[in-house]
Amino acid sequence: MSKTTPSLLVQGYEVVIGFETHTQLTTQSKIFSRASTAFGAEPNTQASAVDFALPGALPVMNKGAVQRAIEFGLAVNAHIAETSIFARKNYFYPDLPKGYQISQFEIPVVQGGVVEFFLDGEKKSVRLVRAHLEEDAGKSLHEDFIGMSGIDLNRAGTPLLEIVTEPDMRSTLEAVAYARELHKIVTWIGICDGNMQEGSFRCDANVSVRKPGAELGTRREIKNLNSFKFMQQAMDYEVRWQIEQIEDGHEIQQATVLFDPDTGETRSMRSKEDAADYRYFPDPDLPPLVIGRDWVEKTRSEMSELPRVMAARFIADYGLSEYDAGQLTQSNATAAYFEAVASASGQAKLASNWVMGELSRRLNTEEKSIEASAVSTAQLAALIGRIADGTISNNAARQVFDALWTGEGQDVDALIDAKGLKQMSDTGELETIIDGVLAANARNVEEVRAGNSKAFNALVGQAMKATKGKANPAQVNELLKKKLA
Ligand code: ADP
Ligand code: MG
């Protein structure tokens, strides 16, 4: 568990947070039916007899959902249960026509596990309790303009993996960092598309406060946080509100609350129900979920390198800083792009600088993903090669990058030639130019000899200008020093 540092206390209180995250799995069809899971279709066009809960319609387990649960379990070093059980969670709500949600209760498919990440250079570990498979509910659509509500069951039966942590987090910042890391893991291994606006990754934050060393305080659960920004705002508000209540002599009541982004406040939705209220019992329609060890081992052998493992390798193999390695492993695609450029150019540090610098700036302004980069990895590698061998300056390279990006040309060397960007490497030619500069700036020369360093810089500037910026500044410096010595 993360240790408590006094500086983390908020007005003398320790913050305690545990997360429950609903991730929609990337299967084509639903968890217990063949209906499509695609987002955004006309209401009720993607719901089958099972999703409508027609009498006699029976659920059939989707193997792809189980596959993804196994992948997640392996990614977080959890135990994959050989046998897990589906249970009925009974409650009444219009978007749940069966009157119960099929979930897992006592024996979930993924047990334990840990999510690790860095927060301000400090390593954090958040322990997972479990991750279980369940079905999503439908949606109520409130058509205010006709004063009626409708039910859309397209989302009903979408496979979810609910990931539950221990109450290990000790600040709202740590909790958001955990959510970001979890988001990175599930999108990296491809079990969830991570689209928070569409509800593919929804977090419930359980928040309590206590005096250091005291028993855990009573928690309130903020439901359905679907952006990292709202998550931070909601938890910060909740912490302040709870402390205020306690300081005013009130007790915190366990409750489920909603965050209102317009007011920046959380408000109580209902008092929290207990597991007993749901009358859980094993679903007689579904046999126990049995996962053979061979399935787990086959999955393990086929999984790609995880972001944290890859970041560690970047640090060891390429000598990158922890920060750079962390940035480059934000997504699978970014990491793959970087590695392609680094290995083709043999210049890892330059590759890292260009991918995180010029390239990501361009991608950001044009709101493009790295997969859609107009500059290929081979082109960037060639460009970096020309910086490394001294053919062009960094500035000139930026011009070439621009030309590649806009499609003005495809070949790095051809563009360097066409734009006349080659640095002057012929020392003889450079010396002639410098001699001319020295002759034309006699006063500056005198001042340099009198020990004026500004005058020296002025001479460098003049020489660079005379070469139309094509000289290597380091070389100009060196030659000038030699001649003025
Ligand atoms: P329930 O069975 O009511 O859902 P759980 O024990 O499963 O409750 O906990 C649900 C979530 O709440 C977990 O993520 C857990 O870490 C978190 N949690 C439990 N107690 C606290 C607490 N006192 N403060 C903050 N979070 C808590
Ligand atoms: Mg629970």
Side-chain angles (χ1 to χ4, degrees), residues 76 105-106 160 167 179 224 246 264 266 271 340 360 408 454 478:
V76 295
F105 183 54
E106 277 166 319
L160 298 178
N224 278 336
I246 295 170
T266 53
S271 65
S360 62
E408 189 185 324
K454 267 194 196 141
E478 204 176 297

Side-chain angles (χ1 to χ4, degrees), residues 12-214:
Y13 287 85
E14 183 182 42
V15 174
V16 175
I17 300 173
F19 260 55
E20 295 164 288
T21 305
H22 291 90
T23 54
Q24 279 183 0
L25 301 177
T26 49
T27 55
Q28 299 286 306
S29 58
K30 295 190 176 173
I31 186 165
F32 301 122
S33 88
R34 286 187 174 172
S36 164
T37 54
F39 180 84
E42 282 292 299
N44 299 311
T45 56
Q46 289 179 175
S48 71
V50 170
D51 310 311
F52 282 120
L54 298 186
L58 289 172
V60 177
M61 183 75 225
N62 179 338
K63 193 174 178 188
V66 180
Q67 174 66 41
R68 284 161 180 78
I70 297 173
E71 287 167 11
F72 177 75
L74 292 174
V76 295
N77 263 325
H79 172 66
I80 316 288
E82 284 189 56
T83 305
S84 60
I85 305 289
F86 285 99
R88 291 185 179 181
K89 180 180 181 180
N90 299 279
Y91 67 94
F92 173 79
Y93 206 72
D95 63 16
L96 187 73
K98 288 197 300 299
Y100 59 86
Q101 175 193 29
I102 303 177
S103 182
Q104 295 190 305
F105 183 54
E106 277 166 319
I107 310 176
V109 58
V110 175
Q111 303 173 0
V114 64
V115 171
E116 295 175 323
F117 52 94
F118 281 89
L119 180 63
D120 293 333
E122 198 185 324
K123 188 175 162 191
K124 300 282 181 187
S125 299
V126 173
R127 292 168 304 160
L128 300 183
V129 179
R130 58 191 278 157
H132 60 258
L133 284 165
E134 62 183 24
E135 57 179 342
D136 211 342
K139 262 184 197 167
S140 298
L141 307 172
H142 302 293
E143 309 285 3
D144 288 339
F145 60 99
I146 48 168
M148 294 210 281
S149 290
I151 303 293
D152 176 10
L153 292 174
N154 282 353
R155 197 180 68 180
T158 298
L160 298 178
L161 188 68
E162 178 176 341
I163 302 157
V164 184
T165 76
E166 295 284 358
D168 276 357
M169 293 164 276
R170 289 294 174 271
S171 72
T172 58
L173 278 175
E174 183 181 352
V176 174
Y178 158 79
R180 286 186 183 279
E181 186 66 25
L182 185 66
H183 185 268
K184 181 156 119 179
I185 292 171
V186 296
T187 52
W188 184 282
I189 64 178
I191 65 163
C192 174
D193 69 19
N195 190 323
M196 295 177 79
Q197 257 152 31
E198 291 179 2
S200 302
F201 186 91
R202 317 192 290 264
C203 294
D204 302 341
N206 294 271
V207 179
S208 68
V209 299
R210 65 174 171 188
K211 289 285 185 187

